[in-house]
Each structure stands twice: as C-alpha cells, then as structure tokens.
Amino acid sequence: FSGCSSLKSITIPDSVISIGDWAFYNCINLTNLTIPDSIATIGEWAFAYCRNITSVTIPNSVNSIGHYAFFDCKNLKTVWSENLTPPTAIFSKDNIWNAFDGCNADFAIFVPSQSYNAFITAPGWSEYESSIIDDGYYFDDEFGDIEI
C-alpha cells in the first residue's frame, strides 16, 4: 500500500500478525487506522508521512516498533498504548529510533498507569518522556481499562 494516495481508511484483519516495513508509507490521505490485537510488530517507516492520521491505538499485543514508524505524521495528536511493557524500540543501524518525530506539536502518548515508569525510562521511548502521560487507567488483558 506504500504511496497509495487514495487509501483513506484501513482495518487490518485479525489474521495479520505483523505490519511490514514501509507498508503504508506516504499514504497521505489515510485518516482512519485500526490495528488489531493480533499485531506483534510494526515495521520501520510503516506509517511514515501518513499526515492525516490523528489518533492511533497500539494494542497490548505489539511487542516491537521499528524506527521512524510514525515519522512526520503531522496531524497525529494522540497515541493510546495498551502495552503493559513498552514495545521494544527497533533502532536503525545508526542507532536512531525517532518513531514519532515530526508528529503534531501537542502530541501525547497515553499509557496505562502501571506502565508509566517503564515507558519514560525505556530505550527509545525515553526520548518522548515529555509526551508520555499516565492515562489514569490500569490495563488488564481480560477486562481492558479499569479506572483507578
């Protein structure tokens, strides 16, 4: 789908376990993105330059995110992470991650309360410490978000 300017919405099927490198790169009109609980990896540059995405939820199943995965998604304001453990940041050969660089100036990553300290200290994620926010919820795999 890389460079598909007519793509506006994508619901990735539950049968998919990985979003490959450059999969939706430069899909400039993509506005709606649904990532299912089956996804384990989000590849490098996977959604880079998808400038009309405003929000994305990263399910607890995601265990790694490639470098520049959401790079220059200028309208991306909100990332909801359900992850109890920060997904591993897959760095480039130049030791760069920058998965969310170039996103909206008011960009925020909401994480479960019990994961906040892990996120702000994790390799790669710590670069975004000022954008990481405790969402006030405890995430439970069985029941989902539970307000605390």
Side-chain angles (χ1 to χ4, degrees):
F1 293 99
S2 183
C4 182
S5 62
S6 62
L7 185 65
K8 294 182 180 180
S9 180
I10 185 78
T11 299
I12 299 167
D14 290 337
S15 59
V16 175
I17 59 170
S18 179
I19 298 170
D21 298 346
W22 305 80
F24 297 95
Y25 173 88
N26 203 27
C27 291
I28 58 173
N29 291 309
L30 182 62
T31 57
N32 188 19
L33 167 64
T34 303
I35 300 173
D37 291 339
S38 60
I39 297 295
T41 61
I42 298 174
E44 62 187 57
W45 298 91
F47 297 99
Y49 298 102
C50 292
R51 294 182 173 154
N52 287 305
I53 296 173
T54 58
S55 179
V56 66
T57 297
I58 299 173
N60 193 33
S61 58
V62 173
N63 57 42
S64 67
I65 298 177
H67 62 274
Y68 296 110
F70 294 92
F71 179 78
D72 207 38
C73 292
K74 293 198 177 293
N75 289 308
L76 182 59
K77 293 181 181 178
T78 309
V79 173
W80 295 95
S81 176
E82 297 175 343
N83 301 81
L84 300 178
T85 302
T88 300
I90 306 300
F91 289 83
S92 70
K93 64 181 179 187
D94 299 325
N95 202 31
I96 297 171
W97 187 48
N98 298 341
F100 299 100
D101 280 15
C103 291
N104 189 281
D106 297 326
F107 167 75
I109 302 170
F110 292 91
V111 301
S113 291
Q114 75 265 39
S115 304
Y116 176 77
N117 287 332
F119 269 90
I120 63 170
T121 59
W125 293 96
S126 60
E127 297 172 25
Y128 301 102
E129 180 178 359
S130 64
S131 297
I132 296 173
I133 299 170
D134 176 340
D135 74 0
Y137 286 83
Y138 175 88
F139 187 80
D140 182 276
D141 281 332
E142 184 177 352
F143 300 107
D145 282 339
I146 300 169
E147 190 169 4
I148 55 172

